[in-house]
Amino acid sequence: MQDMVIQREAPRQPGVLRLLELSDAYVASLYPAESNHMLSIEELEADTVSFFVARRGKDVFGCASLVRNDDGTTEIKRMFVDGSARGLKLGKRLLDQLESEARSLAISIIRLETGIYQPEAIGLYRNAGYEEIPPFGDYKLDPLSLFMEKRLR
């Protein structure tokens, strides 16, 4: 999918909303509600959020956001790739875009929370240099969550 474009876009648009609904259903099938820590559409529209969409033409295949925190770090939220685009390295491309955005904002630490039942996501983050850390921010210790961090150069 050479013609796949990743760019900053507004999250409130039909193709993206459909993708976020798929993401919600996917994590709800894996974890109880108290272990899901996803941002709402309103939270994704905040000035502190950089939201990216991967698309080919009008079709949306992935999304990811970077949330700037008061402590000078950022957090990856709502990263999801449609099942029809899995295996195409789109997750890696989205992650590279988020890291590029962090660098452009002069931010050197990216953190994330992901679930333990998502080995593909965990593998993606580990291969990109993310390391496990204790819970951060408002997160509490949760046996179903894995917390990770990468320090950018």
Side-chain angles (χ1 to χ4, degrees):
M1 289 201 175
Q2 309 295 58
D3 53 348
M4 186 81 66
V5 175
I6 298 174
Q7 60 191 11
R8 235 178 130 161
E9 294 189 26
R12 193 182 299 268
Q13 51 181 311
V16 175
L17 292 172
R18 180 196 65 81
L19 192 68
L20 293 174
E21 287 173 3
L22 291 174
S23 172
D24 291 347
Y26 175 67
V27 296
S29 75
L30 297 174
Y31 308 102
E34 62 272 11
S35 292
N36 288 332
H37 308 285
M38 296 189 287
L39 295 182
S40 68
I41 191 70
E42 292 79 18
E43 291 168 312
L44 290 172
E45 293 174 315
D47 292 338
T48 56
V49 176
S50 300
F51 189 84
F52 292 90
V53 175
R55 67 169 65 241
R56 185 177 60 211
K58 294 183 180 196
D59 298 323
V60 175
F61 291 95
C63 64
S65 65
L66 199 61
V67 179
R68 294 177 294 287
N69 296 314
D70 293 337
D71 64 0
T73 65
T74 58
E75 182 180 357
I76 295 171
K77 298 295 283 184
R78 296 308 299 242
M79 186 155 157
F80 187 74
V81 173
D82 187 276
S84 66
R86 297 227 171 104
L88 300 175
K89 307 289 183 200
L90 188 52
K92 170 84 169 88
R93 289 183 58 197
L94 283 162
L95 187 58
D96 289 345
Q97 182 68 51
L98 295 178
E99 290 181 5
S100 177
E101 175 77 358
R103 285 184 185 97
S104 75
L105 296 168
I107 292 172
S108 61
I109 298 174
I110 299 180
R111 294 181 176 146
L112 63 93
E113 177 275 336
T114 192
I116 62 169
Y117 300 133
Q118 295 167 269
E120 297 85 1
I122 294 167
L124 170 70
Y125 298 130
R126 284 188 175 141
N127 288 337
Y130 288 76
E131 298 177 348
E132 291 183 39
I133 60 170
F136 61 91
D138 293 333
Y139 290 106
K140 306 285 186 259
L141 191 59
D142 181 340
L144 300 178
S145 288
L146 182 65
F147 303 95
M148 303 180 91
E149 171 182 282
K150 181 176 181 177
R151 293 180 181 267
L152 302 175
R153 299 190 192 341

